[in-house]
């Protein structure tokens, strides 16, 4: 990084002596984390959670590993922990998202693919809800947030092998759940 654009690690290090410098971390990552939290907890809850996330990050900034150039995986980890506290309403939100996606598919051209999608989305939401918390967190960070295995590992403070195992188990469970609950088996392409 250039002098005009210090890494997150440099900014966090500087914030230990100049607390106001931490505002740059907020400026860089708040919108991304607000989207992440909003998809999982709804917009109103996400607004509160993003403030809580950065409060916690600020308080824990001394523990940030300076070897990491980006603070985003660390911040996702804090956000994931906050979301676990709000787990109860997540199933309802997943079903609502599935209905919205199904409605969008219904508004699209009435095709066999749109009908399949409309029938499949609620089952996918239910199957994701049925996953154990640790597998669901890894899957949603990987699929929704498009984090790499390494970034998921950093966010959840796990070895990369554990992330691979959780994602593999989550995929297998989703296949089983979708096949068990569906009238016809879902085929991978």
């Amino acid at each position: 990084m250039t002098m005009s654009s210090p890494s997150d690690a440099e900014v966090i290090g500087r914030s230990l002596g100049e607390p106001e410098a931490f505002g740059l971390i907020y400026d860089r990552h708040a919108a991304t984390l607000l989207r992440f939290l909003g998809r999982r907890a709804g917009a109103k809850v996400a607004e509160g959670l993003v403030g809580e996330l950065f409060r916690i990050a600020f308080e824990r900034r001394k523990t940030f590993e300076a070897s990491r150039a980006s603070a985003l995986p660390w911040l996702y980890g804090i956000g994931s922990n906050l979301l676990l506290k709000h787990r109860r309403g997540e199933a309802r939100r997943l079903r609502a998202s599935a209905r919205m996606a199904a409605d969008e598919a219904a508004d699209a051209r009435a095709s066999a693919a749109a009908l399949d999608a409309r029938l499949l989305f609620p089952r996918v939401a239910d199957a994701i809800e049925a996953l154990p918390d640790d597998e669901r967190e890894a899957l949603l960070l990987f699929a929704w947030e498009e984090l790499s295995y390494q970034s998921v590992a950093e966010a959840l403070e796990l070895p990369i092998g554990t992330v691979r195992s959780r994602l593999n188990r989550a995929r297998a469970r989703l296949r089983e759940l979708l096949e068990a609950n569906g009238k016809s088996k879902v085929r991978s392409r």
Side-chain angles (χ1 to χ4, degrees), residues 66-79:
S67 62
R68 295 180 178 182
S70 173
L72 196 54
W74 177 63
L75 295 168
Y76 273 128
I78 295 169

Side-chain angles (χ1 to χ4, degrees), residues 147-164:
L147 294 185
S148 67
Y149 284 22
Q150 182 61 45
S151 292
V152 172
E154 290 175 19
L156 299 178
E157 297 179 351
L158 296 169
I160 196 165
T162 302
V163 169
R164 291 181 194 280

Side-chain angles (χ1 to χ4, degrees), residues 1 5 54-55 57 62 67 78 103 108 132 139 147 151 169 172 177:
M1 297 242 164
S5 185
F54 280 97
R55 182 192 62 77
K62 289 177 184 156
S67 62
I78 295 169
D103 289 346
L139 179 69
L147 294 185
S151 292
R169 282 194 311 270
L177 290 167

Side-chain angles (χ1 to χ4, degrees), residues 67-146:
S67 62
R68 295 180 178 182
S70 173
L72 196 54
W74 177 63
L75 295 168
Y76 273 128
I78 295 169
S80 291
N81 288 333
L82 286 172
L83 286 167
L84 286 174
K85 293 178 183 177
H86 291 275
R87 166 74 179 95
R88 196 177 283 166
E90 188 171 53
R92 183 177 41 80
R93 287 185 295 279
L94 282 170
R95 280 195 287 280
S97 293
R99 279 193 301 277
M100 286 174 37
D103 289 346
E104 288 173 11
D107 290 343
R109 199 175 229 184
S111 66
L115 179 58
D116 286 348
R118 186 176 173 153
L119 297 173
L120 182 61
F121 284 138
R123 288 181 25 226
V124 170
D126 289 342
I128 290 171
E129 175 194 355
L131 290 174
D133 288 345
D134 58 350
E135 292 175 17
R136 184 177 46 266
E137 278 307 307
L139 179 69
L140 294 177
L141 284 171
F142 179 76
W144 277 6
E145 297 307 312
E146 300 177 359

Side-chain angles (χ1 to χ4, degrees), residues 27-38:
D27 293 343
R28 287 179 179 176
H29 301 299
T32 299
L33 291 160
L34 184 61
R35 276 192 307 275
F36 165 64
L37 296 167

Side-chain angles (χ1 to χ4, degrees), residues 47-65:
E47 289 174 15
L49 287 179
V50 81
E52 180 73 359
L53 186 159
F54 280 97
R55 182 192 62 77
I56 291 168
F58 180 79
E59 289 174 359
R60 295 183 186 167
R61 70 192 189 281
K62 289 177 184 156
T63 68
F64 180 77
E65 292 180 34

